[in-house]
Amino acid sequence: MAETADARWANRSSLLAVLLAGGQHSRAGLTQQTGLSAATVSRVVEGLLDEGLVREGAVLQTGRRGRQGVVIEVAAERGVAVGVDLGGTTCRFLATDLLGRSPRYHEEPTPRHLAADHLADWLAERVRALYATAGPAAGADTTRPGAAPDVLRAGVIGLPGAVAADGLEVRGATNLPQIEGDLFTRRLRRALEGTVAFGNDADLALEGELRHGAARTADTAVMFTVGAGFGAGVAVDRHIRGGPTGLVGEFGFLPVDSDDHTVEELVGAEGLMRAAREAGLDVATAADVFTDTAPAARAVVERFERALGIALTAVTIAYEPELVVLGGRVSASIDAAMTTRLRERVRRRLPACPELVHSELADLAGALGAVSRGLTALRVRFDVAPDAAAAVRADLDFAALLTPRAH
C-alpha cells in the first residue's frame, strides 16, 4: 500500500523530533528509536539530506558487535531562535541555533524614555543583529542537489504586561506603559522576518524554569517575578495558562489594604523605593530596605510580606500548585525566615501550601523561556507536530551562561 501524505508527514515528524533532541544517530539507531521501518527511515533521511536540513557525518560504532553506521545530524545553522526579556530596567537577549548550541547572550538598559514606535525599532535592530550571527556551520553540505542555505528565524519577546490571546494586545504594562495596546507589537512584527511572537515575561520565566530550572519536575507550578514590578506565571499540567486577555496569573492587581494599594505597588522595586522615600529612609536600592534595621524600614518590609502573602494565598486557592518559584532581583532579599513566615500565613487559613523555592535560572529565566518557545516554533516550521515539538528535551548548552548568574 502506498504511503499517504499524512503518513509521510507523521514519519518525518517522528524522526525529526529525535534528531532535534541532539546526540549522534545512525540510520539503524533512528529505526530503533522511532519504531519506523529501515526503508522508511532511509526514505525520510534522504529527503532531509536533499533539503539540507540534515547532514551525514563521521562513522558511528553501533550495537554490541561494533557495527558501523554513518552519523546523521541536524544542520543546526538552518534555524536561529532569539529570546528577549524586555524588562522595565533591563532588556536581555539570548540567541541560539536550531539545536540550542553556541548560545549568545547580552543585556542592555531598557531605553524607557522611547515612545512605542522607537522602542520597537530599537529592539528590532538588536534582534536582527543576532539573526545575522547565524551562518553556515563548518562542514555544511552545500554540494548535494537541493541543499538549501535558507535560515528560518523565530523571535519570542517577553513583555512586562498581560498579552492577549491574539498575541498582540498588551495591557497592564505599568513599568513600560508605552507598549500597551498593539502599536508596539505590530510595528515590531512588521520589522522582523520569520516568526515573531509575544508573551508575558513571568509566563516565559516560568517556562524557562519548567524546562531547565527549579520547576523541571513539577506538573503544576506558579512563578512570582519580583523585580521592578510584580508578575506571575501559571502552569497547569506543564502548560502555561494565559486566558483570552492574558489576565490569568496577574495577581499583582489584587488590592491589599483600605488605601487600595495593589500587590504590585507594595512588592515591586519601584513601589518599595517609593514607600522608603515616603518613610524618610535613605536607601539606594530596594535590597537596602530589607537590610535597614530602622523601624520605618521594618514597616515597609512587613507591608511587602503581607502583600506577597495575599498573592500566595490566592494562587494556592486558585491552582494548589506543587511549588511557587521566586524570581526577579527583589526575590533575592526573600530569605528562609521570610519564606517560613509566608507559608505560615497561608497555613493559618488553608489546609495546604505550596513549597517556595528560588529560581535556579536567576535573571536569565525569561530569556531562556523565550528562546525555548522560539525553538519550539522552529521545530513546527520544520514539520514537527506541535505536541512533539514542545516535548523535545534538547540538552541546551547554557551551563556557562547560568553559572555566574546563580543566586
Side-chain angles (χ1 to χ4, degrees), residues 358-370:
H358 281 281
S359 164
E360 292 183 9
L361 306 179
D363 56 8
L364 199 62
L368 185 49

Side-chain angles (χ1 to χ4, degrees), residues 25-359:
H25 306 277
S26 66
R27 296 190 191 212
L30 289 169
T31 299
Q32 183 177 15
Q33 291 185 64
T34 61
L36 302 174
S37 69
T40 298
V41 166
S42 287
R43 185 162 57 249
V44 174
V45 167
E46 287 299 318
L48 295 173
L49 285 167
D50 286 342
E51 293 176 40
L53 185 51
V54 301
R55 63 172 65 93
E56 294 177 315
V59 173
L60 177 69
Q61 294 290 124
T62 63
R64 287 178 295 177
R65 297 182 180 180
R67 290 175 293 180
Q68 293 184 336
V70 176
V71 170
I72 307 298
E73 59 186 7
V74 171
E77 73 280 357
R78 285 293 309 279
V80 57
V82 173
V84 179
D85 181 8
L86 179 64
T89 57
T90 304
C91 189
R92 300 179 175 88
F93 302 84
L94 179 58
T96 184
D97 64 22
L98 189 54
L99 288 177
R101 297 174 181 170
S102 304
R104 299 171 296 282
Y105 175 84
H106 79 276
E107 57 187 52
E108 298 183 39
T110 300
R112 301 178 60 173
H113 62 284
L114 295 180
D117 52 352
H118 295 299
L119 182 60
D121 294 343
W122 176 87
L123 195 59
E125 180 183 357
R126 281 147 183 80
V127 173
R128 283 194 298 266
L130 285 168
Y131 282 159
T133 64
D141 182 3
T142 58
T143 63
R144 190 178 180 92
D150 294 342
V151 177
L152 294 187
R153 297 170 173 85
V156 176
I157 296 92
L159 304 176
V163 180
D166 66 5
L168 291 172
E169 187 76 21
V170 181
R171 296 180 177 87
T174 54
N175 294 309
L176 278 179
Q178 66 268 48
I179 71 171
E180 295 204 17
D182 64 1
L183 172 62
F184 170 82
T185 54
R186 289 186 184 280
R187 187 177 181 97
L188 194 54
R189 183 167 284 181
R190 287 194 301 268
L192 294 172
E193 59 181 302
T195 299
V196 181
F198 303 93
N200 171 260
D201 54 358
D203 288 348
L204 291 169
L206 177 56
E207 185 153 337
E209 297 290 342
L210 285 166
R211 288 178 175 271
H212 311 291
R216 64 171 64 86
T217 62
D219 289 322
T220 301
V222 170
M223 177 109 186
F224 285 166
T225 55
V226 195
F230 175 85
V234 175
V236 178
D237 295 329
R238 298 191 65 81
H239 292 287
I240 303 294
R241 304 301 183 188
T245 61
L247 286 177
V248 172
E250 291 295 330
F251 294 97
F253 290 116
L254 286 173
V256 172
D257 53 30
S258 59
D259 293 325
D260 212 27
H261 288 116
T262 64
V263 168
E264 180 168 49
E265 289 171 337
L266 296 183
V267 306
E270 293 194 355
L272 281 168
M273 291 300 291
R274 182 168 53 252
R277 288 192 296 270
E278 291 172 355
L281 297 172
D282 183 18
V283 292
T285 69
D288 295 337
V289 179
F290 292 86
T291 58
D292 195 316
T293 58
R298 289 200 297 272
V300 172
V301 173
E302 285 171 4
R303 285 207 307 170
F304 169 95
E305 190 173 316
R306 184 169 65 254
L308 198 57
I310 288 172
L312 182 59
T313 301
V315 303
T316 304
I317 293 170
Y319 306 106
E320 199 169 345
E322 298 163 51
L323 54 84
V324 173
V325 183
L326 301 172
R329 292 296 177 91
V330 176
S331 71
S333 298
I334 302 174
D335 59 16
M338 185 180 293
T339 59
T340 297
R341 292 194 300 271
L342 286 166
R343 298 191 75 215
E344 287 173 350
R345 283 175 179 269
V346 175
R347 286 198 182 101
R348 285 199 294 268
R349 297 172 174 84
L350 304 175
C353 181
E355 293 292 325
L356 283 173
V357 299
H358 281 281
S359 164

